[in-house]
Amino acid sequence: MTRRGVLVLLLGLWAGAMAFGVYRFITLAPTDFGFTRGMNKLEALLTWQGVAMVLALPTWIMGRDEPRAALRWLSRLPVIWAGFLIAAVVALIVWA
């Protein structure tokens, strides 16, 4: 498999992990009761977002030397999105 093929595969895996996290959040039935009801939904979402963040770093590293500008910029998208999610969680904690 070529370097470009690995990059496209990593982008696909990242997009799949992101989409599956949202899918699990929407379709998973909430469990438990009281204050913790629905925490399983949040746990599923954050687990798959974590998998996507782990895939973001090798995607960015593989895309840095890509000669095609479109694919190089597309390889930066996972890292930008991961940074946005981390900043949003930090902002939420500071606000609370």
Side-chain angles (χ1 to χ4, degrees):
M1 184 175 269
T2 65
R3 186 176 176 90
R4 185 172 293 156
V6 172
L7 179 59
V8 170
L9 177 68
L10 284 171
L11 281 169
L13 288 173
W14 173 79
M18 294 288 290
F20 191 70
V22 172
Y23 170 77
R24 289 292 291 166
F25 182 76
I26 292 171
T27 61
L28 194 62
T31 60
D32 216 352
F33 56 91
F35 179 71
T36 59
R37 179 170 173 82
M39 286 295 288
N40 64 321
K41 294 175 68 149
L42 187 59
E43 180 182 334
L45 175 69
L46 291 178
T47 298
W48 284 101
Q49 294 298 312
V51 169
M53 284 185 193
V54 168
L55 289 170
L57 187 62
T59 303
W60 174 62
I61 290 171
M62 290 288 293
R64 285 188 303 184
D65 300 328
E66 180 62 35
R68 298 179 71 186
L71 200 53
R72 187 171 53 246
W73 276 100
L74 193 58
S75 72
R76 294 175 186 163
L77 181 65
V79 172
I80 292 169
W81 184 252
F84 172 73
L85 287 176
I86 291 169
V89 168
V90 168
L92 185 63
I93 291 170
V94 168
W95 178 73

